[in-house]
Amino acid sequence: YSVLMVVLFPICILSGMGLLFPDLLPNPQSAFSVVWLAFAIHYSTAVFVLIFIIVHLYQLTTSDRVKSLGARMIKKRGFLQ
């Protein structure tokens, strides 16, 4: 979890900012390659985050024990009565 929060999310946010404002990226003469690199980094980190979420949702919904643990976590937070 800490790798996701400390490494992947900031990389995804920074590369997304680079895609949003490509003129702020270094080397405007070769901006195409820098923008492409920012896109590749952004896309790959987003795929890893999506896989992380899908795997955890799958784990939450497949086993009876996991379902009860998930329901207990949600009840503890006050979302279910």
Side-chain angles (χ1 to χ4, degrees):
Y1 291 110
S2 60
V3 170
L4 184 74
M5 295 305 241
V6 175
V7 177
L8 288 181
F9 278 144
I11 289 174
C12 195
I13 289 170
L14 290 174
S15 62
M17 293 299 286
L19 290 173
L20 188 59
F21 304 110
D23 52 333
L24 297 179
L25 292 174
N27 276 341
Q29 301 91 314
S30 62
F32 177 73
S33 63
V34 175
V35 171
W36 186 88
L37 180 64
F39 169 74
I41 291 171
H42 188 74
Y43 182 78
S44 60
T45 55
V47 167
F48 284 126
V49 169
L50 185 64
I51 289 171
F52 179 85
I53 291 171
I54 289 172
V55 166
H56 279 81
L57 287 175
Y58 176 77
Q59 289 176 341
L60 186 66
T61 59
T62 54
S63 172
D64 289 335
R65 182 172 184 268
V66 175
K67 284 181 187 176
S68 65
L69 289 174
R72 232 181 308 160
M73 286 189 298
I74 293 173
K75 285 181 186 178
K76 187 176 182 179
R77 302 233 189 263
F79 295 123
L80 295 176
Q81 306 319 345

mmCIF file of all heavy atoms in Angstrom, residues 26-58:
data_model
loop_
_atom_site.group_PDB
_atom_site.id
_atom_site.type_symbol
_atom_site.label_atom_id
_atom_site.label_comp_id
_atom_site.label_asym_id
_atom_site.label_seq_id
_atom_site.Cartn_x
_atom_site.Cartn_y
_atom_site.Cartn_z
ATOM 1 N N PRO A 26 11.014 19.883 -19.827
ATOM 2 C CA PRO A 26 12.323 20.327 -20.325
ATOM 3 C C PRO A 26 12.500 20.010 -21.810
ATOM 4 O O PRO A 26 11.809 19.165 -22.371
ATOM 5 C CB PRO A 26 13.313 19.526 -19.480
ATOM 6 C CG PRO A 26 12.552 18.346 -19.010
ATOM 7 C CD PRO A 26 11.130 18.791 -18.881
ATOM 8 N N ASN A 27 13.456 20.695 -22.435
ATOM 9 C CA ASN A 27 13.816 20.509 -23.849
ATOM 10 C C ASN A 27 12.651 20.742 -24.801
ATOM 11 O O ASN A 27 12.133 19.811 -25.413
ATOM 12 C CB ASN A 27 14.389 19.119 -24.097
ATOM 13 C CG ASN A 27 15.848 19.045 -23.796
ATOM 14 O OD1 ASN A 27 16.524 20.061 -23.733
ATOM 15 N ND2 ASN A 27 16.335 17.833 -23.610
ATOM 16 N N PRO A 28 12.204 21.973 -24.955
ATOM 17 C CA PRO A 28 11.103 22.220 -25.879
ATOM 18 C C PRO A 28 11.454 21.897 -27.331
ATOM 19 O O PRO A 28 10.577 21.686 -28.144
ATOM 20 C CB PRO A 28 10.790 23.704 -25.709
ATOM 21 C CG PRO A 28 11.865 24.267 -24.884
ATOM 22 C CD PRO A 28 12.651 23.164 -24.286
ATOM 23 N N GLN A 29 12.759 21.815 -27.693
ATOM 24 C CA GLN A 29 13.137 21.464 -29.060
ATOM 25 C C GLN A 29 12.721 20.032 -29.372
ATOM 26 O O GLN A 29 12.346 19.714 -30.491
ATOM 27 C CB GLN A 29 14.656 21.589 -29.283
ATOM 28 C CG GLN A 29 15.217 22.955 -29.027
ATOM 29 C CD GLN A 29 15.674 23.125 -27.584
ATOM 30 O OE1 GLN A 29 14.964 22.760 -26.653
ATOM 31 N NE2 GLN A 29 16.848 23.694 -27.406
ATOM 32 N N SER A 30 12.824 19.161 -28.396
ATOM 33 C CA SER A 30 12.437 17.767 -28.597
ATOM 34 C C SER A 30 11.217 17.441 -27.739
ATOM 35 O O SER A 30 11.187 16.435 -27.060
ATOM 36 C CB SER A 30 13.599 16.846 -28.246
ATOM 37 O OG SER A 30 13.928 17.005 -26.887
ATOM 38 N N ALA A 31 10.248 18.306 -27.771
ATOM 39 C CA ALA A 31 9.078 18.162 -26.900
ATOM 40 C C ALA A 31 8.297 16.880 -27.187
ATOM 41 O O ALA A 31 7.696 16.315 -26.293
ATOM 42 C CB ALA A 31 8.160 19.367 -27.042
ATOM 43 N N PHE A 32 8.335 16.415 -28.431
ATOM 44 C CA PHE A 32 7.571 15.208 -28.753
ATOM 45 C C PHE A 32 8.067 14.017 -27.947
ATOM 46 O O PHE A 32 7.290 13.284 -27.370
ATOM 47 C CB PHE A 32 7.639 14.899 -30.249
ATOM 48 C CG PHE A 32 6.923 13.641 -30.610
ATOM 49 C CD1 PHE A 32 5.540 13.592 -30.614
ATOM 50 C CD2 PHE A 32 7.627 12.492 -30.910
ATOM 51 C CE1 PHE A 32 4.872 12.426 -30.929
ATOM 52 C CE2 PHE A 32 6.972 11.320 -31.223
ATOM 53 C CZ PHE A 32 5.597 11.288 -31.239
ATOM 54 N N SER A 33 9.374 13.832 -27.847
ATOM 55 C CA SER A 33 9.897 12.677 -27.118
ATOM 56 C C SER A 33 9.665 12.815 -25.616
ATOM 57 O O SER A 33 9.410 11.827 -24.940
ATOM 58 C CB SER A 33 11.378 12.481 -27.411
ATOM 59 O OG SER A 33 12.110 13.595 -26.965
ATOM 60 N N VAL A 34 9.746 14.039 -25.088
ATOM 61 C CA VAL A 34 9.508 14.239 -23.664
ATOM 62 C C VAL A 34 8.033 14.027 -23.337
ATOM 63 O O VAL A 34 7.693 13.406 -22.331
ATOM 64 C CB VAL A 34 9.983 15.642 -23.221
ATOM 65 C CG1 VAL A 34 9.640 15.900 -21.772
ATOM 66 C CG2 VAL A 34 11.464 15.788 -23.454
ATOM 67 N N VAL A 35 7.154 14.507 -24.199
ATOM 68 C CA VAL A 35 5.723 14.297 -23.991
ATOM 69 C C VAL A 35 5.395 12.816 -24.104
ATOM 70 O O VAL A 35 4.601 12.279 -23.326
ATOM 71 C CB VAL A 35 4.885 15.136 -24.992
ATOM 72 C CG1 VAL A 35 3.430 14.758 -24.941
ATOM 73 C CG2 VAL A 35 5.066 16.606 -24.699
ATOM 74 N N TRP A 36 6.036 12.125 -25.050
ATOM 75 C CA TRP A 36 5.795 10.697 -25.193
ATOM 76 C C TRP A 36 6.252 9.948 -23.956
ATOM 77 O O TRP A 36 5.573 9.033 -23.484
ATOM 78 C CB TRP A 36 6.523 10.157 -26.429
ATOM 79 C CG TRP A 36 6.194 8.734 -26.687
ATOM 80 C CD1 TRP A 36 5.159 8.259 -27.413
ATOM 81 C CD2 TRP A 36 6.897 7.591 -26.180
ATOM 82 N NE1 TRP A 36 5.167 6.886 -27.395
ATOM 83 C CE2 TRP A 36 6.230 6.450 -26.641
ATOM 84 C CE3 TRP A 36 8.024 7.436 -25.380
ATOM 85 C CZ2 TRP A 36 6.644 5.162 -26.334
ATOM 86 C CZ3 TRP A 36 8.437 6.150 -25.069
ATOM 87 C CH2 TRP A 36 7.749 5.036 -25.545
ATOM 88 N N LEU A 37 7.401 10.335 -23.399
ATOM 89 C CA LEU A 37 7.887 9.705 -22.174
ATOM 90 C C LEU A 37 6.929 9.959 -21.009
ATOM 91 O O LEU A 37 6.634 9.045 -20.228
ATOM 92 C CB LEU A 37 9.285 10.229 -21.841
ATOM 93 C CG LEU A 37 9.923 9.659 -20.588
ATOM 94 C CD1 LEU A 37 10.161 8.167 -20.737
ATOM 95 C CD2 LEU A 37 11.219 10.389 -20.290
ATOM 96 N N ALA A 38 6.436 11.182 -20.888
ATOM 97 C CA ALA A 38 5.466 11.488 -19.834
ATOM 98 C C ALA A 38 4.194 10.663 -20.013
ATOM 99 O O ALA A 38 3.635 10.157 -19.040
ATOM 100 C CB ALA A 38 5.137 12.980 -19.840
ATOM 101 N N PHE A 39 3.764 10.499 -21.274
ATOM 102 C CA PHE A 39 2.583 9.685 -21.535
ATOM 103 C C PHE A 39 2.826 8.232 -21.154
ATOM 104 O O PHE A 39 1.967 7.591 -20.540
ATOM 105 C CB PHE A 39 2.176 9.773 -23.007
ATOM 106 C CG PHE A 39 1.140 8.765 -23.396
ATOM 107 C CD1 PHE A 39 -0.173 8.934 -23.004
ATOM 108 C CD2 PHE A 39 1.479 7.647 -24.131
ATOM 109 C CE1 PHE A 39 -1.138 8.000 -23.338
ATOM 110 C CE2 PHE A 39 0.537 6.705 -24.470
ATOM 111 C CZ PHE A 39 -0.777 6.886 -24.075
ATOM 112 N N ALA A 40 3.976 7.693 -21.517
ATOM 113 C CA ALA A 40 4.284 6.291 -21.211
ATOM 114 C C ALA A 40 4.338 6.057 -19.707
ATOM 115 O O ALA A 40 3.811 5.055 -19.204
ATOM 116 C CB ALA A 40 5.608 5.901 -21.864
ATOM 117 N N ILE A 41 4.951 6.974 -18.977
ATOM 118 C CA ILE A 41 5.020 6.849 -17.517
ATOM 119 C C ILE A 41 3.625 6.960 -16.915
ATOM 120 O O ILE A 41 3.241 6.175 -16.042
ATOM 121 C CB ILE A 41 5.963 7.916 -16.938
ATOM 122 C CG1 ILE A 41 7.401 7.612 -17.347
ATOM 123 C CG2 ILE A 41 5.840 8.002 -15.423
ATOM 124 C CD1 ILE A 41 8.370 8.719 -17.020
ATOM 125 N N HIS A 42 2.848 7.920 -17.367
ATOM 126 C CA HIS A 42 1.504 8.132 -16.841
ATOM 127 C C HIS A 42 0.612 6.919 -17.108
ATOM 128 O O HIS A 42 -0.098 6.448 -16.225
ATOM 129 C CB HIS A 42 0.902 9.390 -17.470
ATOM 130 C CG HIS A 42 -0.391 9.803 -16.876
ATOM 131 N ND1 HIS A 42 -0.492 10.392 -15.634
ATOM 132 C CD2 HIS A 42 -1.654 9.712 -17.346
ATOM 133 C CE1 HIS A 42 -1.757 10.644 -15.378
ATOM 134 N NE2 HIS A 42 -2.482 10.239 -16.393
ATOM 135 N N TYR A 43 0.675 6.411 -18.325
ATOM 136 C CA TYR A 43 -0.156 5.268 -18.694
ATOM 137 C C TYR A 43 0.235 4.022 -17.900
ATOM 138 O O TYR A 43 -0.630 3.316 -17.380
ATOM 139 C CB TYR A 43 -0.035 4.997 -20.195
ATOM 140 C CG TYR A 43 -0.912 3.864 -20.662
ATOM 141 C CD1 TYR A 43 -2.263 4.056 -20.863
ATOM 142 C CD2 TYR A 43 -0.376 2.599 -20.890
ATOM 143 C CE1 TYR A 43 -3.078 3.020 -21.285
ATOM 144 C CE2 TYR A 43 -1.175 1.557 -21.309
ATOM 145 C CZ TYR A 43 -2.517 1.774 -21.509
ATOM 146 O OH TYR A 43 -3.311 0.737 -21.912
ATOM 147 N N SER A 44 1.529 3.754 -17.769
ATOM 148 C CA SER A 44 1.953 2.549 -17.059
ATOM 149 C C SER A 44 1.615 2.622 -15.574
ATOM 150 O O SER A 44 1.171 1.622 -14.991
ATOM 151 C CB SER A 44 3.442 2.292 -17.272
ATOM 152 O OG SER A 44 4.196 3.361 -16.796
ATOM 153 N N THR A 45 1.792 3.765 -14.949
ATOM 154 C CA THR A 45 1.420 3.867 -13.530
ATOM 155 C C THR A 45 -0.087 3.758 -13.352
ATOM 156 O O THR A 45 -0.556 3.137 -12.396
ATOM 157 C CB THR A 45 1.924 5.174 -12.905
ATOM 158 O OG1 THR A 45 1.451 6.285 -13.653
ATOM 159 C CG2 THR A 45 3.427 5.200 -12.829
ATOM 160 N N ALA A 46 -0.861 4.314 -14.282
ATOM 161 C CA ALA A 46 -2.317 4.193 -14.192
ATOM 162 C C ALA A 46 -2.756 2.743 -14.352
ATOM 163 O O ALA A 46 -3.686 2.292 -13.679
ATOM 164 C CB ALA A 46 -2.981 5.074 -15.250
ATOM 165 N N VAL A 47 -2.081 2.001 -15.219
ATOM 166 C CA VAL A 47 -2.413 0.576 -15.388
ATOM 167 C C VAL A 47 -2.109 -0.192 -14.107
ATOM 168 O O VAL A 47 -2.908 -1.038 -13.673
ATOM 169 C CB VAL A 47 -1.651 -0.012 -16.599
ATOM 170 C CG1 VAL A 47 -1.714 -1.525 -16.602
ATOM 171 C CG2 VAL A 47 -2.219 0.536 -17.889
ATOM 172 N N PHE A 48 -0.970 0.077 -13.471
ATOM 173 C CA PHE A 48 -0.641 -0.601 -12.214
ATOM 174 C C PHE A 48 -1.658 -0.277 -11.118
ATOM 175 O O PHE A 48 -2.065 -1.160 -10.369
ATOM 176 C CB PHE A 48 0.760 -0.228 -11.743
ATOM 177 C CG PHE A 48 1.854 -0.905 -12.509
ATOM 178 C CD1 PHE A 48 2.851 -0.157 -13.092
ATOM 179 C CD2 PHE A 48 1.885 -2.279 -12.662
ATOM 180 C CE1 PHE A 48 3.865 -0.756 -13.805
ATOM 181 C CE2 PHE A 48 2.895 -2.898 -13.372
ATOM 182 C CZ PHE A 48 3.893 -2.139 -13.943
ATOM 183 N N VAL A 49 -2.076 0.961 -11.024
ATOM 184 C CA VAL A 49 -3.079 1.339 -10.025
ATOM 185 C C VAL A 49 -4.406 0.644 -10.322
ATOM 186 O O VAL A 49 -5.072 0.132 -9.413
ATOM 187 C CB VAL A 49 -3.252 2.874 -9.968
ATOM 188 C CG1 VAL A 49 -4.452 3.266 -9.140
ATOM 189 C CG2 VAL A 49 -1.992 3.529 -9.434
ATOM 190 N N LEU A 50 -4.794 0.579 -11.580
ATOM 191 C CA LEU A 50 -6.038 -0.089 -11.960
ATOM 192 C C LEU A 50 -5.977 -1.580 -11.657
ATOM 193 O O LEU A 50 -6.944 -2.152 -11.129
ATOM 194 C CB LEU A 50 -6.324 0.144 -13.442
ATOM 195 C CG LEU A 50 -7.648 -0.397 -13.957
ATOM 196 C CD1 LEU A 50 -8.810 0.311 -13.273
ATOM 197 C CD2 LEU A 50 -7.712 -0.216 -15.457
ATOM 198 N N ILE A 51 -4.862 -2.225 -11.952
ATOM 199 C CA ILE A 51 -4.704 -3.645 -11.628
ATOM 200 C C ILE A 51 -4.778 -3.852 -10.120
ATOM 201 O O ILE A 51 -5.414 -4.792 -9.642
ATOM 202 C CB ILE A 51 -3.383 -4.186 -12.209
ATOM 203 C CG1 ILE A 51 -3.482 -4.277 -13.721
ATOM 204 C CG2 ILE A 51 -3.029 -5.541 -11.617
ATOM 205 C CD1 ILE A 51 -2.172 -4.593 -14.412
ATOM 206 N N PHE A 52 -4.150 -2.972 -9.354
ATOM 207 C CA PHE A 52 -4.197 -3.050 -7.894
ATOM 208 C C PHE A 52 -5.633 -2.991 -7.392
ATOM 209 O O PHE A 52 -6.048 -3.798 -6.555
ATOM 210 C CB PHE A 52 -3.372 -1.892 -7.309
ATOM 211 C CG PHE A 52 -3.354 -1.826 -5.817
ATOM 212 C CD1 PHE A 52 -2.454 -2.576 -5.103
ATOM 213 C CD2 PHE A 52 -4.224 -0.991 -5.136
ATOM 214 C CE1 PHE A 52 -2.417 -2.511 -3.718
ATOM 215 C CE2 PHE A 52 -4.207 -0.913 -3.765
ATOM 216 C CZ PHE A 52 -3.291 -1.683 -3.049
ATOM 217 N N ILE A 53 -6.412 -2.065 -7.920
ATOM 218 C CA ILE A 53 -7.805 -1.914 -7.497
ATOM 219 C C ILE A 53 -8.632 -3.129 -7.905
ATOM 220 O O ILE A 53 -9.422 -3.661 -7.110
ATOM 221 C CB ILE A 53 -8.400 -0.611 -8.069
ATOM 222 C CG1 ILE A 53 -7.747 0.590 -7.395
ATOM 223 C CG2 ILE A 53 -9.917 -0.570 -7.892
ATOM 224 C CD1 ILE A 53 -8.091 1.916 -8.030
ATOM 225 N N ILE A 54 -8.470 -3.605 -9.133
ATOM 226 C CA ILE A 54 -9.236 -4.749 -9.612
ATOM 227 C C ILE A 54 -8.917 -5.999 -8.807
ATOM 228 O O ILE A 54 -9.823 -6.748 -8.421
ATOM 229 C CB ILE A 54 -8.990 -4.970 -11.119
ATOM 230 C CG1 ILE A 54 -9.660 -3.852 -11.916
ATOM 231 C CG2 ILE A 54 -9.505 -6.323 -11.564
ATOM 232 C CD1 ILE A 54 -9.323 -3.862 -13.388
ATOM 233 N N VAL A 55 -7.641 -6.243 -8.520
ATOM 234 C CA VAL A 55 -7.261 -7.424 -7.731
ATOM 235 C C VAL A 55 -7.862 -7.350 -6.339
ATOM 236 O O VAL A 55 -8.396 -8.343 -5.831
ATOM 237 C CB VAL A 55 -5.724 -7.558 -7.666
ATOM 238 C CG1 VAL A 55 -5.289 -8.539 -6.600
ATOM 239 C CG2 VAL A 55 -5.178 -7.977 -9.024
ATOM 240 N N HIS A 56 -7.837 -6.188 -5.722
ATOM 241 C CA HIS A 56 -8.394 -6.080 -4.379
ATOM 242 C C HIS A 56 -9.918 -6.204 -4.382
ATOM 243 O O HIS A 56 -10.495 -6.788 -3.458
ATOM 244 C CB HIS A 56 -7.937 -4.778 -3.721
ATOM 245 C CG HIS A 56 -6.554 -4.895 -3.164
ATOM 246 N ND1 HIS A 56 -5.442 -4.761 -3.950
ATOM 247 C CD2 HIS A 56 -6.112 -5.177 -1.917
ATOM 248 C CE1 HIS A 56 -4.367 -4.943 -3.193
ATOM 249 N NE2 HIS A 56 -4.751 -5.192 -1.960
ATOM 250 N N LEU A 57 -10.587 -5.669 -5.377
ATOM 251 C CA LEU A 57 -12.032 -5.865 -5.466
ATOM 252 C C LEU A 57 -12.375 -7.330 -5.711
ATOM 253 O O LEU A 57 -13.342 -7.860 -5.153
ATOM 254 C CB LEU A 57 -12.628 -4.995 -6.571
ATOM 255 C CG LEU A 57 -12.704 -3.508 -6.268
ATOM 256 C CD1 LEU A 57 -13.200 -2.750 -7.497
ATOM 257 C CD2 LEU A 57 -13.608 -3.247 -5.082
ATOM 258 N N TYR A 58 -11.584 -8.007 -6.521
ATOM 259 C CA TYR A 58 -11.790 -9.435 -6.760
ATOM 260 C C TYR A 58 -11.611 -10.224 -5.473
ATOM 261 O O TYR A 58 -12.415 -11.099 -5.144
ATOM 262 C CB TYR A 58 -10.824 -9.929 -7.836
ATOM 263 C CG TYR A 58 -10.908 -11.409 -8.071
ATOM 264 C CD1 TYR A 58 -11.953 -11.955 -8.805
ATOM 265 C CD2 TYR A 58 -9.946 -12.266 -7.555
ATOM 266 C CE1 TYR A 58 -12.047 -13.308 -9.024
ATOM 267 C CE2 TYR A 58 -10.032 -13.630 -7.767
ATOM 268 C CZ TYR A 58 -11.080 -14.145 -8.495
ATOM 269 O OH TYR A 58 -11.162 -15.490 -8.700
#
